[in-house]
């Protein structure tokens, strides 16, 4: 069956009108909340963004001490893309080759596993390094992030595992 431009346009217009109505209802609902309910709602939105966006998570974890340069943003985007592909069941291989002292360890090795675990509490992460002491140090830092920030960001079934 062929679909005419007119019927597609009408469907899109109906969908747009339905979305506008849902938006109007959401705004009305939000405006009727008390100040404490609005604050709670805003905090939940912030937590959701932290759970969904890796760059936001990194910035949250390190606060004002972390300067998100375009390079670090690109690292975060690559990391998020890899995590999302793994979550879809794809096999992914990534090789990062950048100079030393550019933030790879802090941005990826010591932080990405905690974000991944928070999003995927039933999965595991293997963290390796060129020697056992370094790998243990990285693992300790990841566990510390889960312990310190997990309760704030993720539901109880994630950080209590």
């Amino acid at each position: 069956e062929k679909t005419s431009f007119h019927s597609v346009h009408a469907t899109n217009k109906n969908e747009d009108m339905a979305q506008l109505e849902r938006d109007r209802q959401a705004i009305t609902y939000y405006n009727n909340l008390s100040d404490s309910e609005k604050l709670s709602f805003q905090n939940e939105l912030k937590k959701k963004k932290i759970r969904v966006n890796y760059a936001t998570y990194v910035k949250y974890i390190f606060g004002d001490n972390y300067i998100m340069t375009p390079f670090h943003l690109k690292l975060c985007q690559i990391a998020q893309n890899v995590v999302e592909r793994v979550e879809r069941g794809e096999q992914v291989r990534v090789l990062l080759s950048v100079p030393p002292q550019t933030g790879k360890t802090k941005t990826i090795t010591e932080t990405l596993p905690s974000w991944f675990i928070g999003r995927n509490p039933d999965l595991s992460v293997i963290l390796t390094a060129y020697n056992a002491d370094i790998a243990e140090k990285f693992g300790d830092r990841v566990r510390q992030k889960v312990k310190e920030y997990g309760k704030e960001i993720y539901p109880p079934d994630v950080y209590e595992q």
Side-chain angles (χ1 to χ4, degrees):
E1 177 179 322
K2 289 186 176 181
T3 304
S4 70
F5 172 77
H6 180 69
S7 64
V8 170
H9 182 70
T11 301
N12 289 341
K13 186 175 181 181
N14 290 339
E15 290 170 6
D16 290 346
M17 294 301 290
Q19 183 61 51
L20 283 172
E21 179 58 24
R22 287 190 298 273
D23 290 349
R24 187 191 64 71
Q25 290 172 352
I27 291 168
T28 300
Y29 176 80
Y30 180 81
N31 287 336
N32 288 327
L33 294 175
S34 69
D35 288 344
S36 65
E37 289 171 325
K38 285 179 182 176
L39 184 60
S40 178
F41 181 78
Q42 290 165 358
N43 286 336
E44 287 303 313
L45 283 178
K46 179 181 175 183
K47 285 192 249 182
K48 181 175 181 175
K49 187 172 182 182
I50 291 167
R51 289 190 299 264
V52 170
N53 184 284
Y54 183 60
T56 303
Y57 178 78
V58 169
K59 190 68 177 162
Y60 178 77
I61 295 294
F62 295 112
D64 294 333
N65 296 327
Y66 188 86
I67 299 169
M68 183 69 72
T69 68
F71 169 76
H72 296 103
L73 183 58
K74 187 65 176 175
L75 273 181
C76 291
Q77 290 168 341
I78 291 168
Q80 180 164 337
N81 180 274
V82 167
V83 166
E84 289 170 350
R85 290 177 62 192
V86 168
E87 290 170 340
R88 289 192 302 265
E90 296 177 34
Q91 289 188 356
V92 183
R93 292 175 190 234
V94 178
L95 173 66
L96 294 174
S97 179
V98 294
Q101 302 297 311
T102 54
K104 295 180 306 292
T105 299
K106 190 173 190 176
T107 306
I108 303 295
T109 309
E110 296 178 358
T111 309
L112 184 61
S114 63
W115 188 67
F116 180 86
I117 291 166
R119 289 170 56 107
N120 303 283
D122 297 330
L123 298 180
S124 299
V125 173
I126 298 173
L127 190 58
T128 64
Y130 62 87
N131 74 37
D133 292 339
I134 298 292
E136 188 174 326
K137 180 176 85 171
F138 291 158
D140 289 344
R141 290 181 180 166
V142 169
R143 281 186 289 279
Q144 183 60 35
K145 284 178 181 65
V146 171
K147 184 178 178 183
E148 186 173 344
Y149 298 101
K151 203 173 211 175
E152 297 171 30
I153 300 170
Y154 298 106
D157 61 318
V158 172
Y159 63 82
E160 290 176 351
Q161 288 188 4

